[in-house]
Amino acid sequence: MTTPGAQAGGGEAIEIATLALSLGGAVAVLLFFVIVVFLLSRLLFICGPNEILVFSGRRHRLADGSVVGFKVIHGGRALRIPLLESVSRMDVRLYDVTVAVQNAFSKGGIPLAVHAIANVKVSTDPRHVRQAVERFLGAEPAVIQRVAQQTLEGVLREVLSQLTPEEVNEDRLKFAESLVRNAKDDFDKLGLELDVLKVQHVSDEQKYLSNLGRAQIAAMIRDAQNAENLADQRVAEETAKSRQRAESALQQAESMVLQRRNGFRAEIAKLEAEAKSIENEATVAAETARATAEQELQRLRSELEKIRLQNETVLPAEAEAQARALRARGDAAPTIENGRATAEALAAVAGEWAAAGEMGREVYVLSQLDAIVLAAVQRASQIEIGTIEVVDGGDGESLAAVMGAFTRGVAQVLAETGQAIGVDVPALLGPGDAASGLREARPALRSPASGGDR
């Protein structure tokens, strides 16, 4: 019978064995993985974009049916069979190749010197890569550059023999395209590819191209001179035309200025004539106005003199006459009684006149006419006049008016007497100067607006 301790020891031994087995399996798996990675790193080849891989050792049939002993890989990856295959790498990056030829005869026998530069690489075209592998596998880049250079030099001489110097010099792009086209077959056979070809310089020792350029330059200079002469001729013609137009315009402008000047002078003369006429009219008007003013002034002076004469002579005389009349009335006051008697007598006479009618008064007045006229003359003679200044307008009316003043004074006194006794003295006297004076004085005596006693 097993004891519990023995059972426990046996369980621990089983666990240890299991753990050891697990560790052994993990180590084995890890070791297998390491071996697989190591084998893959040795057998798996990855191709970069700038290279090709060549697997050699086994026979391969190509698309055209031919059989070769290698396989080319460009891009991607591939496994190498150990012991049966070997792997080589070829660089497909660009190589710059300088091409220079001397004394290369062109068409026409003119030797030329051409300098060009090209970019060459190993072809990755499946149709031509086999030629590159067969010729340049394991070769240095300098070998590829030298082969490409020699090939291009030969092609360059071949192309130059087909072109004239003018074509080579004038159309270098066409020249480069001809080089690329002629070199393609040779480069395909070599498994190379020509990416770029540029012609940098073309020259010749006989100075043919220089002379050709000189002739072209001379032609260009001649054309430029001809164009310049033609331009100068056109400029001269245009200048002459412009000068002629300017002279014509100047003449027209001078003619217009002269016409305007003549018109201006005529207008000035017209305005001066109008101004002279207006000035003459103004002078005549001024003289007329002056004469009119002088006449008006003389009239005003005459009226002023009349007023002054009225104020200084006539009015004082009238005032003196009224004063004398008042004094005479005062002196006659003592004889009032005599007057009453006379009045009674007169009343009696008036009664008789009333009985006799209008004819009685007139007969009485006519019988007393000498005394009435004498009294009127004496009253007018009482007026004293010191100095009379007569302002006459040249027609003598003012002087005649002054000389007739005495007669009108007598007529005035007779008119006042007739007004007092109620007898029309001018009607009794009949036509005449005295009667006319009495008739002129009568309306003034009869008018209520005459202003009081005379």
Side-chain angles (χ1 to χ4, degrees), residues 50-63:
N50 59 345
E51 63 180 359
I52 59 175
L53 298 179
V54 180
F55 288 82
S56 306
R58 290 196 308 148
R59 298 172 66 86
H60 295 275
R61 185 177 296 276
L62 301 179

Side-chain angles (χ1 to χ4, degrees), residues 8 70 132 160 164 171 197 203 219 292 297 356 376 448:
F70 57 88
L160 283 176
T164 62
D171 195 354
L197 176 64
S203 63
T292 304
L297 180 61

Side-chain angles (χ1 to χ4, degrees), residues 135-146:
R135 288 169 176 78
F136 302 111
L137 183 61
E140 295 293 332
V143 175
I144 299 175
Q145 290 176 339
R146 185 174 65 253

Side-chain angles (χ1 to χ4, degrees), residues 195-209:
D195 274 1
V196 178
L197 176 64
K198 294 294 181 182
V199 178
Q200 293 183 334
H201 182 67
V202 178
S203 63
D204 65 309
E205 295 180 356
Q206 287 77 16
K207 306 297 181 181
Y208 177 82
L209 295 177

Side-chain angles (χ1 to χ4, degrees), residues 291-305:
T292 304
E294 289 291 339
Q295 293 178 0
E296 184 68 18
L297 180 61
Q298 293 296 331
R299 186 183 66 79
L300 293 176
R301 286 177 179 176
S302 177
E303 293 181 357
L304 179 61
E305 188 62 26

Side-chain angles (χ1 to χ4, degrees), residues 114-189:
V114 181
H115 184 272
I117 186 170
N119 292 327
V120 181
K121 73 182 187 67
V122 175
S123 178
T124 57
D125 191 344
R127 297 173 300 172
H128 310 299
V129 68
R130 181 166 59 88
Q131 284 81 355
V133 171
E134 292 176 352
R135 288 169 176 78
F136 302 111
L137 183 61
E140 295 293 332
V143 175
I144 299 175
Q145 290 176 339
R146 185 174 65 253
V147 172
Q149 180 182 7
Q150 293 174 356
T151 304
L152 288 175
E153 288 178 355
V155 173
L156 182 57
R157 291 179 181 274
E158 180 183 356
V159 173
L160 283 176
S161 64
Q162 299 174 1
L163 299 176
T164 62
E166 291 83 356
E167 294 175 344
V168 174
N169 187 54
E170 292 177 359
D171 195 354
R172 295 189 180 184
L173 180 61
K174 179 181 178 181
F175 178 44
E177 290 177 354
S178 298
L179 287 176
V180 173
R181 188 170 54 254
N182 284 274
K184 187 177 186 311
D185 293 337
D186 295 336
F187 272 68
D188 289 343
K189 293 178 181 179

Side-chain angles (χ1 to χ4, degrees), residues 191-248:
L192 300 178
E193 184 176 344
L194 180 60
D195 274 1
V196 178
L197 176 64
K198 294 294 181 182
V199 178
Q200 293 183 334
H201 182 67
V202 178
S203 63
D204 65 309
E205 295 180 356
Q206 287 77 16
K207 306 297 181 181
Y208 177 82
L209 295 177
S210 299
N211 294 331
L212 182 64
R214 188 176 303 161
Q216 294 178 350
I217 291 173
M220 293 176 62
I221 293 174
R222 184 186 67 251
D223 295 339
Q225 290 177 350
N226 293 335
E228 184 177 0
N229 294 333
L230 182 59
D232 292 339
Q233 182 179 358
R234 290 181 179 176
V235 169
E237 293 177 356
E238 292 296 331
T239 303
K241 292 180 181 179
S242 300
R243 187 180 297 109
Q244 183 178 1
R245 288 195 295 268
E247 292 177 355
S248 177

